[in-house]
């Protein structure tokens, strides 16, 4: 039985080398890692509980165990970065972008989220967590950080930009675009020091001739949030750990990029 989230042979070949091999010694690995990845993609797309996985997948404890292990080893991050460079290369772009667009999204949390990882966003009136998302001029996820919802956007921006700074040895960033929530010297100073770049505050506006007019570039990150809306697991942050929340966002974009690289 196949599901719409199952990887094709070509998609599996693109990520197979990033999946750790079985440890030497002991019992041979009997679980199909391809079916494990298929099961994880099923969860992030259709939003079921781990316990609710269809029975033709490996046991849910096994699937969750591998999901957690791959996250702790940084494999989801590695797969994300590798596919990101492939998509940009296929589009004739350099692996390192010169433009970054940033925004945040406050989401409610499920019952299992640890109390210290939750907060209240007074502006959005949401109790939960906040996703700080960084995208490029193609709308692709560059990096993501998750914080309690009461963390200010500028602090979250610095956190996710630091992750990008560690990843790229010689960043080519020239401009970071955000909305009015990113005003202030804290973010501007960090971007100037870390990247020798500038922060531009883009704003949507209303024209009498054209009606609502989105900012020239900032709409790209809004489209990214819309893409995340296609993944039911992300409608509410149901993860116990914030690191797992980051992994789920990466998995959504990993699936999106796989579908771009291999048409189905």
């Amino acid at each position: 039985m196949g599901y719409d989230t199952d990887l094709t042979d070509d998609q599996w070949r693109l990520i197979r080398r990033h999946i750790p091999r079985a440890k030497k010694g002991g019992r041979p690995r009997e679980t199909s890692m391809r079916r494990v990845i298929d099961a994880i993609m099923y969860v992030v797309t259709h939003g079921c509980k781990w316990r609710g996985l269809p029975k033709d997948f490996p046991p849910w404890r096994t699937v969750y165990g591998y999901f957690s292990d791959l996250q702790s080893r940084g494999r989801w991050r590695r797969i994300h970065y590798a596919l990101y460079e492939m998509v940009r290369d296929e589009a004739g772009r350099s692996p390192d972008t010169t433009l970054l667009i940033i925004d945040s999204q406050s989401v409610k949390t499920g019952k299992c989220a640890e109390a210290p990882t939750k907060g209240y966003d007074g502006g959005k009136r949401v109790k939960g967590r906040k996703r700080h998302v960084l995208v490029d001029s193609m709308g692709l996820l560059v990096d993501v950080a998750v914080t309690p919802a009461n963390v200010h956007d500028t602090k979250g921006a610095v956190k996710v930009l630091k992750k990008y700074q560690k990843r790229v040895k010689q960043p080519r960033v020239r401009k970071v675009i955000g909305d009015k929530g990113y005003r202030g010297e804290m973010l501007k100073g960090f971007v100037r020091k870390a990247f020798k770049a500038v922060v531009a505050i883009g704003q949507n506006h209303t024209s009498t001739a054209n009606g609502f007019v989105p900012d020239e570039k900032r709409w790209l990150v809004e489209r990214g949030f819309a893409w995340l809306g296609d993944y039911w697991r992300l409608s509410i942050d149901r993860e116990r750990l914030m690191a797992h929340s980051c992994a789920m966002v990466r998995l959504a974009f990993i699936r999106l990029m796989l579908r771009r690289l291999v048409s189905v």
Side-chain angles (χ1 to χ4, degrees), residues 96-102 134 142-143 156-177 186-199:
D96 301 326
T97 182
T98 58
L99 175 69
L100 294 172
I101 308 105
I102 192 166
L134 203 61
V142 174
D143 229 315
V158 170
K159 182 176 182 178
V160 70
L161 285 165
K162 282 182 176 178
K163 292 175 77 171
Y164 177 69
Q165 186 184 24
K166 289 180 180 179
R167 163 186 163 189
V168 181
K169 294 181 180 179
Q170 295 181 322
R172 300 170 60 243
V173 177
R174 294 293 174 263
K175 183 186 288 187
V176 178
I177 297 177
M186 176 183 173
L187 180 59
K188 288 182 179 179
F190 174 79
V191 170
R192 186 167 54 244
K193 182 177 179 180
F195 304 108
K196 296 182 174 60
V198 299
V199 175

Coordinates of all heavy atoms in Angstrom, one line a residue, residues 96-102 134 142-143 156-177 186-199:
D96 N 25.0 30.6 -1.9 CA 24.8 31.6 -0.8 C 24.1 32.8 -1.3 O 24.5 33.4 -2.3 CB 26.2 32.0 -0.3 CG 27.0 30.8 0.3 OD1 26.3 29.9 0.8 OD2 28.2 30.8 0.1
T97 N 23.0 33.1 -0.7 CA 22.1 34.2 -1.1 C 22.7 35.5 -0.7 O 23.4 35.6 0.3 CB 20.7 34.0 -0.6 OG1 19.9 35.0 -1.0 CG2 20.7 34.0 0.9
T98 N 22.3 36.6 -1.4 CA 22.7 37.9 -1.0 C 21.5 38.7 -0.3 O 21.7 39.7 0.2 CB 23.1 38.8 -2.2 OG1 22.1 38.8 -3.2 CG2 24.4 38.1 -2.9
L99 N 20.3 38.1 -0.4 CA 19.2 38.7 0.2 C 18.5 37.7 1.2 O 18.2 36.6 0.8 CB 18.2 39.1 -0.9 CG 16.8 39.7 -0.4 CD1 17.0 41.1 0.3 CD2 15.9 39.8 -1.6
L100 N 18.2 38.2 2.4 CA 17.4 37.4 3.3 C 16.2 38.1 3.7 O 16.2 39.4 3.9 CB 18.3 37.1 4.6 CG 19.5 36.3 4.4 CD1 20.4 36.3 5.7 CD2 19.2 34.9 4.0
I101 N 15.1 37.4 3.8 CA 13.8 38.0 4.3 C 13.4 37.2 5.6 O 13.4 36.0 5.6 CB 12.7 37.9 3.3 CG1 13.2 38.5 1.9 CG2 11.5 38.6 3.7 CD1 13.5 37.5 0.9
I102 N 13.0 38.0 6.6 CA 12.8 37.4 7.9 C 11.4 37.7 8.4 O 10.9 38.8 8.1 CB 13.8 37.8 9.0 CG1 13.7 36.9 10.2 CG2 13.8 39.3 9.3 CD1 14.9 37.0 11.1
L134 N 13.7 32.4 8.2 CA 14.6 33.1 7.3 C 14.5 32.5 5.9 O 14.7 31.3 5.7 CB 16.0 33.0 7.8 CG 17.1 34.1 7.4 CD1 16.6 35.5 7.9 CD2 18.4 33.7 8.0
V142 N 15.9 29.2 4.5 CA 17.4 29.3 4.8 C 17.7 28.7 6.1 O 18.6 27.9 6.3 CB 17.9 30.8 4.6 CG1 19.3 30.9 5.0 CG2 17.6 31.3 3.2
D143 N 16.9 29.2 7.1 CA 17.1 28.6 8.5 C 15.9 28.9 9.3 O 15.1 29.8 8.9 CB 18.4 29.0 9.2 CG 19.1 27.9 9.7 OD1 18.5 27.0 10.4 OD2 20.4 27.8 9.5
G156 N 14.7 37.0 18.4 CA 14.5 35.8 17.6 C 15.3 35.9 16.3 O 15.9 34.9 15.8
A157 N 15.3 37.1 15.7 CA 16.0 37.3 14.4 C 17.5 37.1 14.6 O 18.2 36.5 13.8 CB 15.7 38.7 13.9
V158 N 18.0 37.6 15.7 CA 19.5 37.5 16.0 C 19.8 36.0 16.1 O 20.8 35.5 15.7 CB 19.9 38.3 17.2 CG1 21.3 37.9 17.6 CG2 19.8 39.8 16.9
K159 N 18.9 35.3 16.8 CA 19.1 33.8 17.0 C 19.2 33.0 15.7 O 20.1 32.3 15.5 CB 18.0 33.2 17.9 CG 18.2 31.8 18.2 CD 17.1 31.3 19.2 CE 17.4 29.8 19.5 NZ 16.4 29.3 20.5
V160 N 18.2 33.3 14.8 CA 18.2 32.5 13.6 C 19.4 33.0 12.6 O 20.0 32.2 11.9 CB 16.9 32.6 12.9 CG1 16.6 34.0 12.3 CG2 16.7 31.6 11.8
L161 N 19.7 34.3 12.7 CA 20.8 34.8 11.9 C 22.2 34.2 12.4 O 23.1 34.0 11.6 CB 20.8 36.3 11.9 CG 19.8 37.0 11.0 CD1 19.6 38.4 11.3 CD2 20.1 36.8 9.5
K162 N 22.3 34.0 13.6 CA 23.5 33.4 14.2 C 23.7 31.9 13.7 O 24.8 31.5 13.4 CB 23.5 33.4 15.7 CG 23.9 34.8 16.3 CD 23.9 34.7 17.8 CE 24.3 36.0 18.4 NZ 24.3 36.0 19.9
K163 N 22.6 31.2 13.5 CA 22.6 29.9 13.0 C 23.1 29.9 11.5 O 23.9 29.1 11.1 CB 21.2 29.2 13.1 CG 20.7 29.0 14.5 CD 19.3 28.4 14.5 CE 19.2 27.0 14.1 NZ 17.9 26.4 14.3
Y164 N 22.6 30.9 10.8 CA 23.0 31.0 9.4 C 24.5 31.4 9.3 O 25.2 30.9 8.5 CB 22.2 32.1 8.7 CG 22.6 32.4 7.3 CD1 22.4 31.4 6.3 CD2 23.2 33.5 6.9 CE1 22.8 31.6 5.0 CE2 23.6 33.8 5.6 CZ 23.4 32.8 4.6 OH 23.8 33.0 3.3
Q165 N 24.9 32.3 10.2 CA 26.3 32.7 10.3 C 27.3 31.6 10.5 O 28.4 31.5 9.9 CB 26.5 33.8 11.3 CG 27.9 34.4 11.4 CD 28.0 35.4 12.5 OE1 27.3 35.3 13.5 NE2 28.9 36.4 12.4
K166 N 26.9 30.6 11.4 CA 27.7 29.5 11.7 C 27.8 28.5 10.5 O 28.8 27.9 10.3 CB 27.2 28.7 12.9 CG 27.4 29.4 14.2 CD 26.8 28.6 15.3 CE 26.9 29.3 16.7 NZ 26.3 28.5 17.8
R167 N 26.7 28.5 9.7 CA 26.6 27.6 8.6 C 27.5 28.0 7.4 O 28.1 27.2 6.7 CB 25.2 27.5 8.2 CG 24.9 26.9 6.8 CD 23.4 27.0 6.5 NE 23.1 26.8 5.1 CZ 21.9 27.1 4.6 NH1 20.9 27.5 5.4 NH2 21.7 26.9 3.3
V168 N 27.5 29.3 7.1 CA 28.2 29.9 5.9 C 29.5 30.5 6.3 O 29.5 31.5 7.1 CB 27.3 30.9 5.2 CG1 28.0 31.4 3.9 CG2 26.0 30.3 4.8
K169 N 30.6 30.0 5.8 CA 31.9 30.5 6.1 C 32.1 32.0 5.6 O 32.7 32.8 6.4 CB 33.0 29.6 5.6 CG 33.0 28.2 6.2 CD 34.1 27.4 5.6 CE 34.2 26.0 6.2 NZ 35.2 25.1 5.6
Q170 N 31.7 32.2 4.4 CA 31.9 33.6 3.9 C 30.6 34.1 3.3 O 30.3 34.0 2.1 CB 33.0 33.6 2.8 CG 34.4 33.2 3.3 CD 35.4 33.3 2.1 OE1 35.1 32.9 1.0 NE2 36.6 33.7 2.4
P171 N 29.7 34.5 4.2 CA 28.4 35.0 3.8 C 28.4 36.1 2.8 O 29.3 37.0 3.0 CB 27.7 35.4 5.1 CG 28.8 35.6 6.1 CD 29.9 34.7 5.7
R172 N 27.5 36.1 1.8 CA 27.5 37.2 0.8 C 26.2 38.1 1.0 O 25.9 38.9 0.1 CB 27.4 36.5 -0.6 CG 28.6 35.6 -0.9 CD 28.4 34.8 -2.2 NE 28.2 35.7 -3.3 CZ 27.1 35.7 -4.1 NH1 26.0 35.0 -3.7 NH2 27.0 36.5 -5.1
V173 N 25.6 38.0 2.2 CA 24.4 38.8 2.4 C 24.7 40.3 2.4 O 25.7 40.8 2.9 CB 23.8 38.4 3.8 CG1 22.6 39.3 4.1 CG2 23.5 36.9 3.9
R174 N 23.8 41.0 1.6 CA 23.9 42.4 1.5 C 22.7 43.1 2.1 O 22.8 44.3 2.5 CB 24.0 42.8 0.0 CG 25.3 42.3 -0.6 CD 26.5 43.0 0.0 NE 27.8 42.5 -0.6 CZ 28.5 41.6 0.1 NH1 28.1 41.1 1.3 NH2 29.6 41.2 -0.4
K175 N 21.6 42.4 2.2 CA 20.4 43.1 2.8 C 19.5 42.0 3.5 O 19.4 40.9 3.1 CB 19.6 43.7 1.7 CG 18.4 44.5 2.2 CD 17.5 45.0 1.0 CE 18.2 46.1 0.3 NZ 17.3 46.7 -0.7
V176 N 19.0 42.4 4.6 CA 18.0 41.6 5.4 C 16.7 42.5 5.5 O 16.7 43.6 5.9 CB 18.5 41.3 6.8 CG1 17.4 40.5 7.6 CG2 19.8 40.5 6.8
I177 N 15.6 41.9 5.0 CA 14.3 42.6 4.9 C 13.4 42.0 6.0 O 13.3 40.8 6.2 CB 13.7 42.5 3.6 CG1 14.5 43.1 2.5 CG2 12.3 43.1 3.6 CD1 14.0 43.0 1.1
M186 N 19.4 47.2 17.7 CA 19.9 45.8 18.1 C 20.1 45.0 16.9 O 21.2 44.4 16.7 CB 18.9 45.2 19.1 CG 19.4 43.7 19.5 SD 18.1 43.0 20.5 CE 18.8 41.3 20.6
L187 N 19.1 44.8 16.1 CA 19.2 44.0 14.9 C 20.1 44.6 13.8 O 21.0 43.9 13.2 CB 17.8 43.7 14.3 CG 17.8 42.8 13.0 CD1 18.4 41.4 13.4 CD2 16.4 42.6 12.5
K188 N 20.0 45.9 13.6 CA 20.8 46.6 12.6 C 22.3 46.5 13.0 O 23.1 46.2 12.1 CB 20.4 48.1 12.5 CG 19.1 48.3 11.9 CD 18.8 49.8 11.8 CE 17.5 50.1 11.1 NZ 17.2 51.5 11.0
G189 N 22.6 46.6 14.3 CA 24.0 46.5 14.7 C 24.6 45.1 14.5 O 25.7 45.0 14.0
F190 N 23.8 44.1 14.8 CA 24.2 42.7 14.6 C 24.4 42.4 13.1 O 25.5 41.8 12.8 CB 23.2 41.7 15.2 CG 23.6 40.3 14.9 CD1 24.5 39.7 15.6 CD2 23.0 39.6 13.9 CE1 24.9 38.3 15.4 CE2 23.3 38.3 13.6 CZ 24.3 37.7 14.3
V191 N 23.5 42.8 12.3 CA 23.6 42.5 10.8 C 24.8 43.3 10.2 O 25.5 42.7 9.4 CB 22.3 42.9 10.1 CG1 22.5 42.9 8.6 CG2 21.2 42.0 10.5
R192 N 25.0 44.5 10.7 CA 26.1 45.3 10.2 C 27.5 44.6 10.6 O 28.4 44.5 9.8 CB 26.0 46.7 10.7 CG 27.1 47.7 10.2 CD 26.7 49.1 10.5 NE 26.5 49.3 12.0 CZ 25.3 49.7 12.5 NH1 24.3 49.8 11.7 NH2 25.2 49.9 13.8
K193 N 27.6 44.1 11.8 CA 28.8 43.6 12.3 C 29.0 42.2 11.8 O 30.2 41.8 11.4 CB 28.8 43.5 13.9 CG 30.0 42.9 14.5 CD 30.0 43.0 16.0 CE 31.2 42.4 16.6 NZ 31.2 42.4 18.1
A194 N 28.0 41.3 11.7 CA 28.1 39.9 11.3 C 28.3 39.8 9.8 O 29.0 38.9 9.3 CB 26.9 39.1 11.8
F195 N 27.5 40.6 9.0 CA 27.5 40.4 7.6 C 27.9 41.6 6.7 O 28.0 41.5 5.5 CB 26.1 40.0 7.1 CG 25.5 38.9 7.8 CD1 24.5 39.0 8.8 CD2 26.0 37.6 7.6 CE1 24.0 37.9 9.4 CE2 25.4 36.5 8.2 CZ 24.4 36.6 9.2
K196 N 28.2 42.7 7.4 CA 28.5 44.0 6.7 C 27.3 44.3 5.8 O 27.5 44.8 4.6 CB 29.8 44.0 6.0 CG 31.0 43.8 6.9 CD 32.3 43.8 6.1 CE 33.5 43.8 6.9 NZ 33.6 42.6 7.8
A197 N 26.1 44.1 6.3 CA 24.9 44.3 5.5 C 24.0 45.3 6.2 O 24.2 45.7 7.3 CB 24.2 42.9 5.3
V198 N 22.8 45.6 5.5 CA 21.9 46.5 6.1 C 20.5 45.8 6.3 O 20.2 44.8 5.7 CB 21.7 47.7 5.1 CG1 23.0 48.5 4.9 CG2 21.1 47.2 3.8
V199 N 19.8 46.4 7.2 CA 18.4 45.9 7.5 C 17.4 46.9 6.8 O 17.5 48.1 7.0 CB 18.1 45.9 9.0 CG1 16.7 45.5 9.2 CG2 19.0 44.8 9.6

